[in-house]
Amino acid sequence: MDKHYDAIVIGGGVIGCAIAYHLARARARVLLLERGGIGQGTTAQSSCILRTHYSVPENVALAQAAWHVYADFAAYLDDPEADCGLVKCGYLIAAPEGDRAHALRESLAAQRARGIAAEEIDAATASRLLPIARLDDAALIGYEPEAGYADAWLATSAFARNARRLGAMIREGSAATGLIRERDRVLGVRTARGPIHAGVVIGAQNIWSRELAQWCGIELPLAIERHAVITLECGGAPYTRAMPVYKDLASPAMIYCRSYGGTQMLVSAGTHGEALSTPDTTQADVPLETVIDLGAQVAQRFPAYGEAGLASSWTGVYDVTPDWNPVLGPLPGIDGLLVAYGFSGHGFKLAPAIGRVLAQAALDKPTEVPLAPFALGRFATGRALRGRYGAGAVS
Ligand SMILES: Cc1cc2nc3c(=O)[nH]c(=O)nc-3n(C[C@H](O)[C@H](O)[C@H](O)COP(=O)(O)OP(=O)(O)OC[C@H]3O[C@@H](n4cnc5c(N)ncnc54)[C@H](O)[C@@H]3O)c2cc1C
């Protein structure tokens, strides 16, 4: 006879671990199944930028709730050793004349309406914050001081450790291989070591969510995209930890940049990546053309980086939905199953809030941020959460 849990979480990335932690914190008996190792899926490839800036208001609400957790991580987890590696350097975002400046102005105002410090600043102020950048041609510059970046492994492992401390069972090297169902109700999961029953199952499988879709015979819209990340070394113009993360809405790829290791610049594109037909996080070569293209966009904004050298490069994979926003909550017509997938390249910053609201939903409690806008059904009913900056992870 297998043990009966209140909840089983499938997937031990930052999302699954945050969900398991919040379930355990709510005193639920929880089992997390991770096929590989904790935090070794797409979470390990994250740039980990934290901001509340979004043009989709529902995301601002989640990001704001999540920021409060990251900003006071040890106290929130009640674990003096917990550290998410937060570098609170702020977030600078610049837009060219036109629709994007308009969207930026309105998004900053919407943030302020929620009590978030999000200012419009002039080019001279921006240059003092990010002296290596040339920002005089930007039509509008936004600045969010309560933002920065963190560390994927530190955050994920802290959620996992504290979930265990509160009684959760975390099994690594243990895959869910199917669902146990009785008509329209999910009763647990199948594993190679036998069935495990639970009151509710939560799928947090990211790019592997198609597997869950097959098990329950439901279509989960999901594109799998590989993205390149590079780091540049420019001796004369180091990107220090004190300098804000930078988002360039004027560049063709809507690039983002941040300090890496205190001197280098980490750069990646905020738009579409390379489409993959199957989930695969194996490292791929970053083509020279990609390095040249990203490097040229960087040099437009950071003149000294015209002479920068490539320090390192890697790839990471996004789970992209049709509107670049996650699907959260129950699946229609199936009781006892919830999902949290489709983070489309911006799930790390949301993870603590996702953990809390998914745990609330799984335990049939009111969620502090409504999940209805993130329902799967939005795609079929014309209620997609379209970001105002076009397709991309800034959303
Ligand atoms: C290059 C890159 C840069 C990014 N930058 C940022 C950023 O700056 N800011 C930000 O907020 N977000 C960013 N993101 C996005 C963010 O990192 C992700 O949204 C987040 O880490 C996803 O976490 P996850 O737990 O959903 O997925 P994952 O970490 O992929 O975890 C899913 C887990 O499920 C497990 N699994 C799957 N199927 C099964 C099964 N059947 N049984 C058991 N286990 C299973 C897998 O092994 C995996 O460990 C970035 C992502 C990438 C790739």
Side-chain angles (χ1 to χ4, degrees), residues 151-234:
D151 181 282
W153 168 249
L154 290 177
T156 307
S157 57
F159 278 126
R161 186 177 65 246
N162 283 284
R164 280 195 182 106
R165 186 170 61 86
L166 296 175
M169 172 70 76
I170 297 187
R171 279 197 207 151
E172 296 177 271
S174 185
T177 55
L179 296 172
I180 308 167
R181 284 181 69 172
E182 198 175 84
R183 290 184 292 279
D184 291 336
R185 173 143 204 105
V186 170
L187 301 175
V189 303
R190 300 188 188 285
T191 72
R193 286 159 63 181
I196 311 173
H197 286 83
V200 63
V201 173
I202 302 134
Q205 289 151 267
N206 198 276
I207 55 172
W208 296 272
S209 296
R210 284 177 182 169
E211 197 176 32
L212 181 82
Q214 278 165 5
W215 297 338
C216 57
I218 211 166
E219 205 184 319
L220 295 180
L222 169 62
I224 302 171
E225 286 191 1
R226 185 186 279 139
H227 284 250
V229 184
I230 62 171
T231 70
L232 300 173
E233 176 89 49
C234 179

Side-chain angles (χ1 to χ4, degrees), residues 10-16 33-37 41-43 45-49 174-176 204-206 208 211 215 229 256 316-318 343 345-349:
I10 310 174
V14 70
I15 298 293
L33 294 174
E34 166 51 55
R35 148 161 67 207
T42 67
T43 296
Q45 303 170 332
S46 186
S47 304
C48 298
I49 291 167
S174 185
Q205 289 151 267
N206 198 276
W208 296 272
E211 197 176 32
W215 297 338
V229 184
Y256 65 81
V317 185
Y318 290 8
F343 291 95
H346 58 100
F348 179 80
K349 69 179 64 59

Side-chain angles (χ1 to χ4, degrees), residues 215-271:
W215 297 338
C216 57
I218 211 166
E219 205 184 319
L220 295 180
L222 169 62
I224 302 171
E225 286 191 1
R226 185 186 279 139
H227 284 250
V229 184
I230 62 171
T231 70
L232 300 173
E233 176 89 49
C234 179
Y239 202 133
T240 68
R241 284 197 184 89
M243 294 178 186
V245 172
Y246 175 65
K247 177 75 180 178
D248 195 334
L249 295 171
S251 60
M254 293 204 287
I255 56 167
Y256 65 81
C257 314
R258 47 154 271 210
S259 174
Y260 187 69
T263 54
Q264 295 172 6
M265 175 193 289
L266 178 154
V267 189
S268 189
T271 51

